[in-house]
Amino acid sequence: MKANLIIVAAPSGAGKSSFVERICREEPRLFDTVTFTTRAMRRGESQGQPYHFVSKAEFEALVAKNYFVEWAFVHNNMYGTPMEQLENAWRDNKAVIMDVDIQGAATFKSKFPKNAATIFILAPSVEELKRRIIKRDGQAPADLDVRLRNAEIETQRAPDFDYRVVNDDFEHSFAEFKKIIEDLLSDG
């Protein structure tokens, strides 16, 4: 196994969650972490799917216990990844895949430089990102401007990643993403 930690980052609406959810259904050697967050649940989400939703006070208590290997403020909310999930997956000989923000990607890459690979998912344009966010949320979310400003900043960091995939056509882009993952999981 070339990488036992695969970090996927992208601006909000670029498709990283869709890529990670599908690759996890298709590739049994992967384990997807369940991040803790203080953000509100969206339509179609539930506790543990795709996040552990907690209050700010609960999150801060976990930070104080050093429960997270990494945590950050993203779009005015807190997100954190428990170290325990990584350790359990590795004990089971699985590679961990996670979708995180660019701050998290940099943190994980610095903490696990020998066995981490990073992939950045790009949308074809800011206009397409805006369309996807509105479609996903069913309306323009209150923090749409924040997400779009952050998308511009995040996209400037794409060259820092080991791999980049432009999600212009989902099936074609996913095939490219899957090939990268298969190469990272191979022993050759």
Side-chain angles (χ1 to χ4, degrees), residues 17-32 49 97 170-171 174 177-178:
S17 297
S18 298
F19 277 33
V20 170
E21 287 169 16
R22 181 164 170 191
I23 196 70
C24 287
R25 287 193 306 269
E26 296 182 12
E27 179 49 72
R29 295 176 288 178
L30 292 174
F31 173 80
D32 183 13
Q49 291 294 324
I97 190 167
F170 185 83
E171 291 303 323
F174 179 78
F177 176 78
K178 185 174 182 177

Side-chain angles (χ1 to χ4, degrees), residues 6-55:
I6 301 168
I7 303 152
V8 183
S12 179
K16 70 180 177 287
S17 297
S18 298
F19 277 33
V20 170
E21 287 169 16
R22 181 164 170 191
I23 196 70
C24 287
R25 287 193 306 269
E26 296 182 12
E27 179 49 72
R29 295 176 288 178
L30 292 174
F31 173 80
D32 183 13
T33 59
V34 181
T35 302
F36 282 65
T37 185
T38 59
R39 85 156 168 75
M41 253 184 243
R42 291 184 187 137
R43 180 181 57 185
E45 294 178 336
S46 61
Q47 188 59 265
Q49 291 294 324
Y51 294 101
H52 291 295
F53 297 94
V54 295
S55 70

Side-chain angles (χ1 to χ4, degrees), residues 5 7 104-114 116-118 162:
L5 180 59
I7 303 152
T107 300
F108 279 108
K109 189 72 171 176
S110 69
K111 286 188 177 187
F112 304 99
K114 293 182 180 172
T118 56
D162 300 319

Side-chain angles (χ1 to χ4, degrees), residues 47-106:
Q47 188 59 265
Q49 291 294 324
Y51 294 101
H52 291 295
F53 297 94
V54 295
S55 70
K56 187 175 183 216
E58 289 170 307
F59 194 97
E60 289 170 344
L62 292 169
V63 168
K65 293 179 190 174
N66 289 320
Y67 183 73
F68 301 117
V69 65
E70 177 274 341
W71 70 272
F73 282 100
V74 183
H75 308 307
N76 302 319
N77 293 296
M78 300 165 86
Y79 292 81
T81 305
M83 184 64 195
E84 166 184 70
Q85 290 184 25
L86 278 65
E87 292 168 342
N88 290 342
W90 293 334
R91 189 180 55 247
D92 294 340
N93 293 316
K94 293 197 178 237
V96 173
I97 190 167
M98 59 179 63
D99 62 82
V100 297
D101 69 300
I102 57 171
Q103 298 169 71

